[in-house]
Amino acid sequence: MGGAFMAAAILARAGSRIGLPTIPLFILAGILLGPNTPGIVLVKDPHDLEMLTALGLVLLLFYLGLEFHMDDLKSGGRRMAVAGSIYLLLNVGAGLGFGFALGWGTSEALVLAGVLGISSSAIVTKILVDLNRIGNGETKPILGIIVIEDIFLAIYLAVLQPVLSGAEGPGEAALQAGKAMAFLLVLATVARFGTKVIGRLFDTRDNELLVISFLGAAVLVAGISEWFGVADAIGAFMVGLMLGSTTSAERIRTLVHPLRDAFGAIFFFGFGLSIDPGDLPSVAAPVALAVLLTIVMNVVAGLAAAKLYGFGARPASNIALTLLARGEFALILATMAATAGLDRRLSPFIAGYVLVLAVLAPLAAGRSHWLARVLPGGKPPPGGGAALDPTPEAAGAK
């Protein structure tokens, strides 16, 4: 673990000198020092870091919940639902069509629909933090889409699991999906009506007690969520959402930063451990096509979300490129596919696809102004000057 931290730190510091984001460098450290690459092997079995990487994901999503205020959800819930639904319709639909076009099988197509359709909450959060965009106007629809994706993810996993494992019938599948939805409803109800009570429970002047309290709550609810068939990340997000509206919110944000950064690095390092570079050449062509398809669908979805919110070209490009990354959910699906005995090409395809987008997304998001220039309304008007965005939020995003 110490070697993982040091390797991630050394590569990230070297990369920062030439302007590279930390996420792909943390992943690269895992690839280079994992069991699938010749040379020094720090971790022979990626499962050895499984709990630590899970904690990294929980803390990243807990922090995301802290930044997503209940007032934003109340005032913009309908637009967020529409934006998230459009994003899912475009990307999941494209993934399903791509899966059938490959001809690997119906179950494989269902897996690919989820792989191509769902963004990486962990990478999206890290991009927003690294690029200092948490306060931007377009960040609200980005977070809204992530929330809708995570809710869809819970339902999708609940439905897909019995399909892949050969559930005894639609009744069993419906029971698992219903259990997940009931738990999500309980979390949403507590977040909506229980903020004052929760605030009193976490009201302490002692920073040590506050850290233990919010960390325990986030991890406990994440674990219970997983037991109910809901992604652990969404449970942690909901705890952050609840605590983000309490009087202790600002102190919690400050105290969680070092935990988020440290275990977030381990999450991406562990992600790299699972990738075998030797498997990638055999699926290079479908990976390239899938990446191109995802970029096109994300740009279309970004334009649609920007129009819904009245944003201009720059926020639209920020939305499209920030949500581009795929990650932890795709790896979950790869594990499910391998366990179910699906086509062997799925695992290396998912690894290659996720790796390319995990590297490309942070780089592209940091240069979103290049995309903005070619989007509608992104070119400067004749005679010079900058193209104007129609809203104050969009102006702030610039």
Side-chain angles (χ1 to χ4, degrees):
M1 180 179 169
F5 275 123
M6 290 304 300
I10 291 170
L11 273 178
R13 291 189 68 176
S16 66
R17 295 176 182 269
I18 55 175
L20 291 177
T22 57
I23 293 171
L25 295 168
F26 292 155
I27 295 172
L28 179 61
I31 294 173
L32 294 177
L33 299 172
N36 301 311
T37 307
I40 300 173
V41 177
L42 282 181
V43 184
K44 292 182 179 179
D45 185 354
H47 292 293
D48 290 344
L49 290 182
E50 191 170 20
M51 181 60 71
L52 294 175
T53 57
L55 184 57
L57 179 60
V58 163
L59 288 170
L60 283 166
L61 268 293
F62 172 73
Y63 178 80
L64 187 63
L66 286 172
E67 295 292 345
F68 193 89
H69 301 292
M70 282 298 296
D71 291 339
D72 297 334
L73 191 59
K74 295 173 190 174
S75 62
R78 185 174 179 180
R79 283 194 298 182
M80 288 177 186
V82 173
S85 299
I86 292 172
Y87 187 90
L88 286 171
L89 183 64
L90 288 170
N91 285 274
V92 174
L96 185 63
F98 180 79
F100 281 122
L102 285 179
W104 292 354
T106 301
S107 295
E108 286 79 0
L110 290 171
V111 170
L112 289 172
V115 170
L116 272 66
I118 307 294
S119 306
S120 167
S121 300
I123 297 179
V124 168
T125 306
K126 192 69 166 60
I127 289 173
L128 292 172
V129 171
D130 287 353
L131 297 179
N132 197 28
R133 290 180 181 171
I134 289 291
N136 282 15
E138 74 274 7
T139 297
K140 290 180 182 179
I142 289 173
L143 298 185
I145 290 171
I146 288 295
V147 171
I148 299 300
E149 282 187 323
D150 282 339
I151 294 172
F152 171 81
L153 182 156
I155 301 170
Y156 191 77
L157 275 180
V159 173
L160 188 63
Q161 178 65 47
V163 171
L164 295 184
S165 60
E168 295 181 358
E172 184 181 339
L175 180 63
Q176 292 182 24
K179 187 173 70 170
M181 287 303 298
F183 183 70
L184 283 173
L185 184 61
V186 170
L187 289 181
T189 303
V190 174
R192 175 67 179 84
F193 300 105
T195 304
K196 290 184 180 179
V197 175
I198 292 169
R200 287 196 290 269
L201 290 174
F202 284 83
D203 187 15
T204 175
R205 295 183 180 180
D206 190 315
N207 283 345
E208 179 183 13
L209 292 178
L210 185 58
V211 169
I212 293 171
S213 299
F214 74 68
L215 185 60
V219 176
L220 177 62
V221 175
I224 295 173
S225 299
E226 198 171 55
W227 187 75
F228 273 96
V230 177
D232 52 4
I234 190 65
F237 175 88
M238 294 300 292
V239 174
L241 185 67
M242 298 172 199
L243 295 181
S245 301
T246 65
T247 55
S248 303
E250 195 55 44
R251 286 173 58 213
I252 293 174
R253 288 189 193 96
T254 301
L255 292 169
V256 79
H257 275 184
L259 293 169
R260 178 205 69 194
D261 291 342
F263 287 98
I266 290 295
F267 170 80
F268 295 113
F269 180 88
F271 179 48
L273 291 175
S274 65
I275 296 174
D276 186 351
D279 291 337
L280 303 183
S282 64
V283 290
V287 164
L289 290 173
V291 168
L292 180 61
L293 178 63
T294 302
I295 292 172
V296 172
M297 289 297 102
N298 265 55
V299 171
V300 175
L303 286 170
K307 185 175 182 180
L308 188 65
Y309 279 82
F311 293 151
R314 182 64 178 273
S317 65
N318 286 347
I319 294 171
L321 297 178
T322 302
L323 290 167
L324 186 61
R326 302 295 187 263
E328 60 278 0
F329 179 54
L331 296 181
I332 292 171
L333 286 175
T335 303
M336 290 172 62
T339 304
L342 300 188
D343 195 299
R344 285 187 173 185
R345 292 169 290 186
L346 265 181
S347 292
F349 169 85
I350 293 172
Y353 171 75
V354 170
L355 178 61
V356 170
L357 287 181
V359 173
L360 180 63
L363 294 171
R367 294 156 180 80
S368 58
H369 56 283
W370 293 355
L371 174 61
R373 292 173 187 168
V374 301
L375 294 181
K379 292 183 179 179
L388 297 178
D389 282 322
T391 64
E393 290 91 347
K398 288 185 176 182

